[in-house]
Amino acid sequence: MGKSITDKEQQVTYMKQRLSMFLGVLDAIEPESTELEDIDRLIAMVDDLDNKMQQFKNRPSTENE
């Protein structure tokens, strides 16, 4: 597992990158050919984003150290 991100700027950058990745996947989906598994993967990505956001909210910041 990688090093924890405790700097607020790094956390924001990480979340922006993940959200951008999600939006790219969402844009690439063809509504007419989307299957349930595709929707499940999108939901899992949103859940992962939410979990990471909760981790960042509860993680002590090192920006003042």
Side-chain angles (χ1 to χ4, degrees):
M1 198 183 279
K3 184 180 175 193
S4 293
I5 301 172
T6 55
D7 178 72
K8 292 293 181 190
E9 286 184 42
Q10 288 178 333
Q11 291 174 348
V12 170
T13 299
Y14 176 86
M15 292 303 294
K16 283 181 179 180
Q17 290 170 345
R18 293 288 302 266
L19 186 56
S20 178
M21 199 169 36
F22 173 77
L23 292 174
V25 170
L26 192 58
D27 283 341
I29 288 180
E30 294 294 329
E32 296 83 21
S33 61
T34 301
E35 297 184 8
L36 185 57
E37 292 81 18
D38 300 322
I39 302 300
D40 287 343
R41 279 192 286 275
L42 288 171
I43 292 169
M45 289 177 79
V46 170
D47 287 343
D48 288 343
L49 284 167
D50 183 54
N51 289 336
K52 186 54 79 172
M53 191 67 206
Q54 294 305 318
Q55 288 175 9
F56 285 160
K57 281 175 53 177
N58 295 324
R59 190 174 289 166
S61 174
T62 61
E63 63 188 353
N64 293 328
E65 292 179 4

